[in-house]
Structure formats: structure tokens, C-alpha cells
Amino acid sequence: MDYLIRKAKSGDESDLAYIQTESWKAAFHNILSNEVLQKATQMNRATEMYKRSLDEGVGNGYILEVNGKPHCIAWWDKARDKDMPEYAELICIHSLQDKWRKGYGTKMMERVLADIKAAGYIKVMLWVFADNNRARNFYEACGFATYGKIKTCFDTIEICYEKSL
């Protein structure tokens, strides 16, 4: 497993957007409507979002490269939920489908959680689509648990998962 995890930097926005949009297409085609999925996976919109975040220094982004090629991304920041001010939030962790279940997501999660802890947080949370059983199993295997907090997003239900560090 020849891989490298590094912080995302200016110029990485296209790689970040590509991995996110391709991951969404593969993972959410049975969860989101075609219309919502098409809108949410527009490369130009995703690229602009990542460029703005990188330029403004918003959050903490990572890229995991396999044999020198970007494969997995993650992004975290302070929790956006007003009732969870002491939490960090794992905003996303996505990887390309061709290497799912090869351990790269776990390596990325370990790195992100270590950096969150080093930043002084003792709790982390994330949102996941209720019907995304593959991701839910992954988060539970990483020690996350849900306590019943839900919300609607993209016309489907998301569940909040939490973990103490």
C-alpha cells in the first residue's frame, strides 16, 4: 500500500472536486434523486467551492495519494451546528470507488482524527445519509455512534454521528 496523506493546498481544488463528485455519483445514486445528484456533482461548482475554501483558509483539507495519484479526500473544521460548539466536524471523507475497502479510508480517518485531537478538540461529529449503510458501517467501525439527532438534507434524512477523542 504505497500512499501519502498531505494537507490540501491552493491548486488542489480540481482534484478535490473530482474525487468528491465521482464519489457522490458512485455512493449516492440510490439515495438521492437524479436531479439532486446532477446538481450536487457539477464539477465547476465543486471546484469553485474548494478554491474559495483554500483561498480563504476555511477548514482543514487533506488528500490521500496512491502511487502519486489523488484517491481520497477529507475536510474538517469546527462544528457548524450551533448546539455543538465544542465539537470539530468531519465535513467530508470521500474516495474513488476503484479502491473502496482497501484501507485507505481508515488511514485517512486516523490522520484526520489525530489532527483534530492535536488542534485541541476532544469531540468530533459528522452527518451521514441515513440510507448510506456502507458509510455508516465505516463510521461505526471507527468508533462513531449516533444518539438520535437527525435533519433533512437534499430531500433525504441525515443522521449525526459523534465520537470522543
Side-chain angles (χ1 to χ4, degrees), residues 10-23:
S10 184
D12 286 333
E13 54 272 2
S14 293
D15 288 335
L16 293 160
Y18 178 77
I19 292 168
Q20 177 177 312
T21 57
E22 290 302 305
S23 175

Side-chain angles (χ1 to χ4, degrees), residues 26 66 69-72 95-102 104:
V66 177
K69 295 181 181 176
H71 166 69
C72 181
S95 61
L96 298 175
Q97 184 178 14
D98 67 329
K99 291 182 181 60
W100 282 355
R101 305 201 50 83
K102 304 284 187 201
Y104 297 114

